[in-house]
Amino acid sequence: MRRTAPLLPALAAALLLTACGSERPGAHDAGVGAGGATPQTAVSGPAVDGVRITSVTIPSASPAASGVSAAYEVTNSGAEELTYTVIFDFTASGGGAVTHQKVTVGPVGPGRTTRGTVRAGSLPPGAPSVTGVKVAEVTAVPVAEAPAAPGVCPPSGIRVTADDGDAAMGLRVVGLTLENCGERDRTVRGYPQVTLLDEDRQPVDGVRILRGSGGIATVTGFDDAPRTLTLRPGERASAGLMWRNTTGFGTAVDIPYVRVRATPGAAPVLITPHLDLGTTGRLGVSAWRAAAQQQGAHGAGAP
């Protein structure tokens, strides 16, 4: 359901080129090339985990411009309603990614197909011309566990989301945010409860989940003791996941899905941070704390 190379380094490189966007599926939009022609090329390649590019539009006058787009379709061949996250790579003639876009599609019911269009967006000066588009990565989350969309408050009144992560010298940190989007105060204490899942969304054994950094690295605030937080409506708490992607002897472990419960008994939320744990077998989890105190990997030092 995903590329074999670790995701986060690839995302970091792509983010240097352009910000990662997100769009909902919509009607196909064909680009218009020189002379009013529509330079749309049909694509008949196989689907990647249910996602298939059906056509690519590259303006002949300026293939590096924002008019580059691809029409796609997402088919759910499973038995439950799913929300998909798809990363599309816009590639140069050599096959390397010039930029990428992340698209959220869904919910898509069992046996249903949803169609949409993804656009490259503005490219920086000097970027190579885009000559193709490919499906780089697909993750699918059951609708009941999908993170709430921006501006949407789930029935629980608590919205849990994850950021795109931060990387520094092989150290990885993904931030979790808990927002009280309801109408009454919420009390939070302790650590997020996390369960690591493989590409089939089944539990992964052999990885130690540590409270705090567990000696993985020194990051300001990551080892702070749990405190009781009372969140008024609109206030947030934050926590973090920390690991290193070191690979030594043994088989490297990649965790595409993490099931997060904000507090014991809370409804689970399934996030897709793609933990490239290497062969370290360790994941640190910080306690919930006031959002302003959350620190990323910047300034982290080796233990």
Side-chain angles (χ1 to χ4, degrees):
M1 194 172 277
R2 58 204 46 83
R3 68 180 79 174
T4 56
L7 172 66
L8 288 175
L11 283 184
L15 286 170
L16 293 176
L17 296 176
T18 184
C20 179
S22 177
E23 66 179 69
R24 295 286 177 176
H28 292 176
D29 293 330
V32 178
T38 303
Q40 187 179 75
T41 302
V43 177
S44 59
V48 178
D49 298 314
V51 181
R52 187 172 72 87
I53 295 173
T54 58
S55 66
V56 175
T57 299
I58 301 177
S60 56
S62 181
S66 59
V68 179
S69 65
Y72 64 85
E73 60 183 28
V74 179
T75 300
N76 180 0
S77 58
E80 58 185 332
E81 196 172 32
L82 300 172
T83 295
Y84 291 78
T85 298
V86 186
I87 295 177
F88 292 92
D89 279 351
F90 290 79
T91 60
S93 58
V98 178
T99 186
H100 75 278
Q101 290 291 341
K102 181 166 68 175
V103 179
T104 300
V105 183
V108 183
R112 302 297 296 272
T113 296
T114 296
R115 296 175 176 84
T117 299
V118 59
R119 297 169 180 80
S122 300
L123 302 180
S129 296
V130 173
T131 60
V133 187
K134 66 181 180 182
V135 178
E137 189 166 274
V138 180
T139 51
V141 174
V143 168
E145 294 186 80
V152 176
C153 187
S156 65
I158 294 177
R159 178 167 43 227
V160 176
T161 55
D163 62 25
D164 289 331
D166 202 352
M169 300 293 289
L171 177 65
R172 310 281 194 254
V173 176
V174 166
L176 304 178
T177 299
L178 183 158
E179 178 186 359
N180 179 4
C181 57
E183 299 179 352
R184 63 180 178 85
D185 291 356
R186 303 278 179 170
T187 299
V188 179
R189 178 179 174 83
Y191 297 83
Q193 296 187 339
V194 301
T195 303
L196 309 184
L197 307 178
D198 63 18
E199 62 182 15
D200 297 318
R201 300 192 294 276
Q202 297 300 309
V204 174
D205 297 324
V207 177
R208 288 188 297 157
I209 298 177
L210 311 170
R211 290 192 168 187
S213 66
I216 294 172
T218 300
V219 174
T220 303
F222 206 93
D223 287 304
D224 288 355
R227 296 175 53 199
T228 299
L229 303 176
T230 299
L231 303 179
R232 294 190 293 254
E235 292 185 334
R236 300 179 180 185
S238 59
L241 308 178
M242 178 197 297
W243 72 99
R244 287 193 181 276
N245 69 337
T246 307
T247 300
F249 295 102
T251 302
V253 175
D254 178 47
I255 306 294
Y257 299 95
V258 177
R259 178 173 286 129
V260 179
R261 293 182 187 271
T263 58
V269 174
L270 201 57
I271 62 173
T272 56
H274 296 268
L275 312 180
D276 54 336
L277 298 178
T279 56
T280 61
R282 296 188 300 166
L283 176 70
V285 182
S286 72
W288 291 115
R289 54 194 180 273
Q293 297 176 12
Q294 175 68 21
Q295 300 293 325
H298 298 297

